[in-house]
Amino acid sequence: MAVEQPFFAAGAQTPPSCSAVTERHATRVALTVIALLFLAVFLVLPLVIVFLQAFTNGVGAYFAALTEPDAVAAIQLTLLVAAIAVPLNLVFGLAAAWAVAKFEFKGKAFLTTLIDLPFSVSPVISGLVYVLLFGSQSLLGPWLAAHGIQILFAVPGIVLATIFVTFPFVARELIPLMEEQGTADEEAALSLGASGWQAFMRVTLPNVKWALLYGVLLCNARAMGEFGAVSVVSGHIRGLTNTMPLQVEILYNEYNFAGAFAVASLLALLALVTLLVKTILEFRYGHALSGSTGH
């Protein structure tokens, strides 16, 4: 007795009339239009408005707002904080990812949870933590004041707050990729006589370089755009402790809309550049980033 064969034999191509998508064409078009409208209203339109408002008084007024002393100081402070926080987070992210992905040890799950902590804690709360640690009424406050060390309402406090809210980015990009790659390459290098440092520099680091760049890119964008934590610890001292986001807030509250949007346009431009570089990395090195961006 002949056995009835399945309608589609193994390996046979699906007929053109069959589709994995069961929705009707009109439904797919409607969903696409809704998604595009959502992006246009909530992403594209605000960016367009920022740049239109920035140039509302002309190009001369735009550059005058950006070259105003307080604006220049805010831009310089933002770049300084990012220049300190991002390299430190790069080192921490590499070390944490290498430890979590390549070794087994007690407390590994706890370390991974700590890395994700800034994602679940409000930036304002993280800023208040530093106020409790280094404020004048804290345990460390009198000692710091007696030795002339100022953390709060100064650059060190801003750097600490920025590091806290940005340190997960590099590690979280590297950990999934390193776990997916395993330890076979490093073990082979060690068996051939390489030291641990040589295996890291010549095997591990080249394998994760694009994911590392991806994480640094996201970390830098967040560092320059951080508002909540920095607002708590900065003191809002004009020309001294105001970063670009804080400068935008002050100018807007003073009804200097052209100046506020001029500074905001720099942050928007940073977001666009970040998005462009991110897209280029994903397009050219998607296979190398697939493990890190899948979380």
Side-chain angles (χ1 to χ4, degrees):
M1 181 177 179
V3 179
E4 184 177 356
Q5 297 295 325
F7 182 77
F8 297 115
Q13 295 182 351
T14 304
S17 59
C18 296
S19 174
V21 180
T22 57
E23 290 82 2
R24 293 183 300 176
H25 177 71
T27 303
R28 297 198 297 270
V29 171
L31 292 174
T32 302
V33 170
I34 292 173
L36 291 176
L37 286 175
F38 184 89
L39 291 175
V41 172
F42 290 98
L43 292 178
V44 178
L45 185 60
L47 284 175
V48 172
I49 291 176
V50 166
F51 285 101
L52 288 178
Q53 289 293 327
F55 289 96
T56 188
N57 293 332
V59 177
Y62 175 80
F63 286 105
L66 292 181
T67 55
E68 193 264 337
D70 288 345
V72 172
I75 294 171
Q76 291 175 341
L77 179 59
T78 302
L79 295 176
L80 174 63
V81 171
I84 297 173
V86 173
L88 291 177
N89 282 328
L90 185 151
V91 174
F92 167 79
L94 269 175
W98 196 21
V100 170
K102 303 296 183 179
F103 302 98
E104 294 294 334
F105 55 91
K106 293 183 178 180
K108 179 178 177 178
F110 181 66
L111 175 59
T112 305
T113 302
L114 287 180
I115 292 174
D116 290 335
L117 183 63
F119 287 146
S120 57
V121 175
S122 168
V124 174
I125 300 301
S126 66
L128 288 175
V129 169
Y130 288 109
V131 173
L132 294 176
L133 283 175
F134 305 115
S136 59
Q137 304 301 319
S138 67
L139 293 176
L140 295 176
W143 185 89
L144 293 173
H147 290 79
I149 302 174
Q150 186 174 2
I151 303 295
L152 294 181
F153 314 135
V155 174
I158 297 174
V159 172
L160 288 174
T162 303
I163 289 175
F164 179 85
V165 298
T166 58
F167 77 76
F169 286 95
V170 175
R172 292 310 300 169
E173 291 301 322
L174 293 178
I175 289 174
L177 180 60
M178 286 186 170
E179 289 179 336
E180 181 181 334
Q181 291 174 347
T183 60
D185 291 343
E186 287 81 2
E187 291 173 354
L190 293 175
S191 67
L192 294 175
S195 65
W197 179 251
Q198 289 175 328
F200 174 77
M201 293 298 297
R202 298 184 181 182
V203 178
T204 304
L205 192 57
N207 285 341
V208 300
K209 59 183 178 181
W210 298 118
L212 178 62
L213 179 59
Y214 191 91
V216 168
L217 186 71
L218 297 179
C219 178
N220 181 70
R222 177 62 188 272
M224 289 191 175
E226 175 55 31
F227 178 85
V230 172
S231 177
V232 175
V233 302
S234 72
H236 295 265
I237 305 174
R238 301 187 68 154
L240 294 177
T241 63
N242 276 340
T243 58
M244 290 170 63
L246 301 183
Q247 182 69 9
V248 171
E249 180 197 29
I250 288 177
L251 293 175
Y252 192 85
N253 289 337
E254 294 177 347
Y255 302 101
N256 185 356
F257 300 126
F261 281 106
V263 179
S265 69
L266 293 183
L267 293 172
L269 185 61
L270 170 66
L272 293 176
V273 171
T274 301
L275 180 62
L276 176 62
V277 177
K278 175 178 176 289
T279 303
I280 293 174
L281 287 176
E282 290 177 342
F283 178 76
R284 296 192 59 183
Y285 309 104
H287 63 285
L289 294 169
S290 58
S292 64
T293 55
H295 64 280

